[in-house]
Amino acid sequence: MIAEAGLAALWLAAALAALQLALAAIGLRRGEAPVLATVRPVALVQGGLVALAMLALILVFQASDMSVKLVAENSHSAKPWIYKVAGAWGNHEGSMLLWVTILGLAGGAVAWFEKTLAERTLIATLGAQAAIALGFYAFLLFASNPFARLNPAAVDGAGLNPLLQDPGLAFHPPTLYAGYVGLSVAFSFAVGALVTRDVGREFARAMRPWVLSAWIFLTLGITAGSYWAYYELGWGGWWFWDPVENASLMPWLAATALLHSVTVLATRDGLRAWTVMLAVVAFSMSMLGTFLVRSGILTSVHAFAVDPRRGAFILVLLALYIGGALALFAARVGTVRQGTTFDPVSREGGLVANNLLLSVILGIVLIGTLYPIVAAGFDVQLSVGPPFFNKAAGPLALILIVVMAVGPLVRWRRDDAQALVVRAVWPIGVTAFAFAALVVFAMPIGVLPLLGLSLAAGLAVASVAPLWGRDLRRTPLFTWGMVVAHLGIAISLAGIACDSAFTVERLIALRGGDSTRVGPYKVTLDGISPVVADNWSALQARLSVERDGDVTRLYPQSRTFSDPPTTTSESAIMTVPDGQLYTVLGQPDGTGRWQMRLWWKPFVTLIWAGGVLVAMGGALSLVGRLRKRRPRREAWT
């Protein structure tokens, strides 16, 4: 009965989404004041019902109810409980229900918390959010029912993809989806403001916390996903420009540009058209990512290859939502006033340059991701991989770092170029010193790593420039947030450059007792032994790792899963302050030796440490902005 209750809750939530959309349309047409008081509780109840549906799906997975088709195809009674719970969204239907759940809860949160936006604009926003939800409810109920029954029930399940049997699966998809859905709220705010011709500072102040929240979750999701791929796939890389990786990067790039644009609109009443357009583009990228992952046109460890007809359904939704929003933007952009003007040499000018560079990089990633797919439609097989993206986007990313470093040093509205150069003396000096030191002591390394490390040093200094000469105890939290986020970017850039410039790789075959060196470590294969766990067996290498007389043991494995039958490589990683030693056990070569892949990666952990700092900076800014806001109306009860 749990599955039937979940399906009923999903149908009721869909009906309330339709009611919410109808009420919003009535309120906008007739201007009835009581409509808002009706729309709010409808949005709240809708969010509660779809959350109940998601809870029901988790419960049937936890109970291993093999009469539910989704459970039988994506779980197994012998799986640990955490993989049963995470398995609820480790598949196509469950992941889409998770998407809609976060969407419904976000709509309820807007209805509950938003008190400062003009009434008509809020009604239009809630109507737009209901329209988005309604399309995805239709998709679930008519094309991807997560509660479909099997008759007769399966004896046991097929099991979860072993690559997804990792604790990170319990946190990565919900975090990433929260970012995607946060962009849907920003999109709804933009549509609502266009409908009511209310694009101004109040609209931007209402939208900014949602953009910032989405950006935080996207940052955390991408950072966690990068580290998961790094340690789980056993290939030693942190980013491969996989199309599904790009599907999460593209919304983040658009959200970063939107975050800067909405800040200018909220604080200086500028960049009005930019803000609305970027809100549409950011949600377009999240919708495009959903299409790529669930259309069946991509093969990836991240993707769910499903019936392409479902992809066509999502493509229709994308065309309706994004095409409709672009048409609305084209029709109403003439009514969007220009807002406050500014000189090119100004903080606003720097943010415009920042947005232009982010948009160009987004375009490069988009073209590189879609071009092979389009070519395949004409029976032309080609691959666009890391060399293209690194050469095309890498130099632009470094220019973006320069703009990011200069931005906080520039005054609002207008500034003097000579005075700006004086304020930038320390970042420029540190960059030049780092460049010279690397040329003398670290060459030969590639040009991009050399520039990346040099600019990372300068950006780190420039990041703390907003704190110079201030009373730190009275510095606003959102200023601290900007400092921490920019410092996190500098740290991640340093980690990326170090990984590219200084990584040492060793591919070797060893017998028991043989040793080899990689970086500062002596690695000895002590032997191979079998290991058995609840739902897998493995061959495990015993490695002795020696550095400066200190010996540590590492145990990389080659695991075999029975449900479904799969073999995976489980890396063993030793983390030390100056980097990581990464070890992978390969196959026997038939002569008594075992293939081993070893990497020494100096300061690679800075990549993810910086990502966490970026998200922390966003969180500080969010708290600071929320504290600063003051409701202008009585709270709705």
Side-chain angles (χ1 to χ4, degrees), residues 451-621:
L451 294 175
L453 281 169
S454 303
L455 290 174
L459 177 60
V461 174
S463 298
V464 299
L467 302 179
W468 295 345
R470 303 183 69 153
D471 184 347
L472 300 184
R473 293 172 298 179
R474 296 184 177 181
T475 301
L477 269 181
F478 48 80
T479 300
W480 278 104
M482 178 183 67
V483 169
V484 172
H486 284 194
L487 185 60
I489 293 292
I491 291 173
S492 283
L493 177 61
I496 293 168
C498 285
D499 179 64
S500 177
F502 305 123
T503 292
V504 178
E505 181 180 3
R506 191 77 189 273
L507 175 60
I508 193 170
L510 299 175
R511 290 186 175 87
D514 287 351
S515 299
T516 188
R517 298 200 68 88
V518 55
Y521 287 94
K522 178 183 177 183
V523 180
T524 302
L525 175 62
D526 295 328
I528 305 289
S529 57
V531 177
V532 178
D534 291 340
N535 63 325
W536 52 263
S537 61
L539 291 175
Q540 178 175 276
R542 302 187 306 278
L543 302 178
S544 295
V545 178
E546 182 180 355
R547 180 181 182 181
D548 299 330
D550 295 327
V551 179
T552 305
R553 300 296 193 280
L554 292 178
Y555 303 97
Q557 297 175 343
S558 176
R559 289 185 183 177
T560 300
F561 293 79
S562 58
D563 297 302
T566 310
T567 300
T568 66
S569 295
E570 299 295 321
S571 60
I573 302 173
M574 184 173 69
T575 302
V576 292
D578 59 341
Q580 285 186 333
L581 178 65
Y582 190 113
T583 65
V584 177
L585 173 65
Q587 299 298 315
D589 67 357
T591 65
R593 299 185 302 174
W594 290 82
Q595 295 175 358
M596 299 291 304
R597 295 194 72 178
L598 310 172
W599 287 271
W600 165 239
K601 294 177 166 290
F603 301 105
V604 70
T605 50
L606 294 180
I607 297 173
W608 305 291
V612 173
L613 270 182
V614 171
M616 287 177 58
L620 287 174
S621 295

Side-chain angles (χ1 to χ4, degrees), residues 229-289:
Y230 171 77
Y231 72 76
E232 180 64 26
L233 301 184
W235 61 290
W238 59 275
W239 193 265
F240 193 65
W241 295 104
D242 179 278
V244 182
E245 290 176 337
N246 294 346
S248 63
L249 176 63
M250 290 186 292
W252 185 87
L253 291 170
T256 303
L258 174 59
L259 179 59
H260 290 93
S261 185
V262 77
T263 298
V264 174
L265 179 53
T267 57
R268 314 301 298 183
D269 196 24
L271 303 184
R272 293 186 177 189
W274 260 100
T275 301
V276 174
M277 189 63 190
L278 284 171
V280 174
V281 170
F283 183 59
S284 301
M285 292 300 102
S286 68
M287 285 286 293
L288 179 62

Side-chain angles (χ1 to χ4, degrees), residues 237-511:
W238 59 275
W239 193 265
F240 193 65
W241 295 104
D242 179 278
V244 182
E245 290 176 337
N246 294 346
S248 63
L249 176 63
M250 290 186 292
W252 185 87
L253 291 170
T256 303
L258 174 59
L259 179 59
H260 290 93
S261 185
V262 77
T263 298
V264 174
L265 179 53
T267 57
R268 314 301 298 183
D269 196 24
L271 303 184
R272 293 186 177 189
W274 260 100
T275 301
V276 174
M277 189 63 190
L278 284 171
V280 174
V281 170
F283 183 59
S284 301
M285 292 300 102
S286 68
M287 285 286 293
L288 179 62
T290 302
F291 168 72
L292 291 175
V293 175
R294 287 160 187 83
S295 63
I297 64 175
L298 291 180
T299 300
S300 167
V301 297
H302 311 276
F304 300 114
V306 298
D307 187 345
R309 289 174 295 180
R310 294 175 176 176
F313 199 125
I314 297 176
L315 190 60
V316 169
L317 292 180
L318 193 153
L320 287 174
Y321 296 145
I322 306 308
L326 290 175
L328 178 63
F329 178 80
R332 294 291 174 86
V333 69
T335 67
V336 178
R337 290 177 297 160
Q338 181 179 4
T340 305
T341 59
F342 50 84
D343 288 351
V345 182
S346 64
R347 180 79 62 89
E348 294 94 331
L351 291 174
V352 168
N354 173 87
N355 285 356
L356 286 172
L357 287 166
L358 284 169
S359 299
V360 173
I361 294 171
L362 171 60
I364 290 171
V365 177
L366 180 62
I367 292 170
T369 303
L370 295 183
Y371 186 66
I373 299 172
V374 175
F378 295 93
D379 294 326
V380 177
Q381 301 299 320
L382 54 85
S383 176
V384 177
F388 166 78
F389 290 106
N390 291 338
K391 291 179 180 178
L396 290 175
L398 293 179
I399 297 172
L400 181 63
I401 293 298
V402 174
V403 174
M404 187 186 306
V406 173
L409 304 175
V410 191
R411 304 186 192 279
W412 291 105
R413 194 68 58 84
R414 64 177 57 87
D415 203 347
D416 180 73
Q418 292 183 348
L420 174 60
V421 171
V422 172
R423 290 194 294 273
V425 164
W426 274 104
I428 293 172
V430 169
T431 301
F433 176 80
F435 183 88
L438 287 166
V439 168
V440 173
F441 297 108
M443 291 299 283
I445 60 176
V447 174
L448 286 180
L450 174 63
L451 294 175
L453 281 169
S454 303
L455 290 174
L459 177 60
V461 174
S463 298
V464 299
L467 302 179
W468 295 345
R470 303 183 69 153
D471 184 347
L472 300 184
R473 293 172 298 179
R474 296 184 177 181
T475 301
L477 269 181
F478 48 80
T479 300
W480 278 104
M482 178 183 67
V483 169
V484 172
H486 284 194
L487 185 60
I489 293 292
I491 291 173
S492 283
L493 177 61
I496 293 168
C498 285
D499 179 64
S500 177
F502 305 123
T503 292
V504 178
E505 181 180 3
R506 191 77 189 273
L507 175 60
I508 193 170
L510 299 175
R511 290 186 175 87

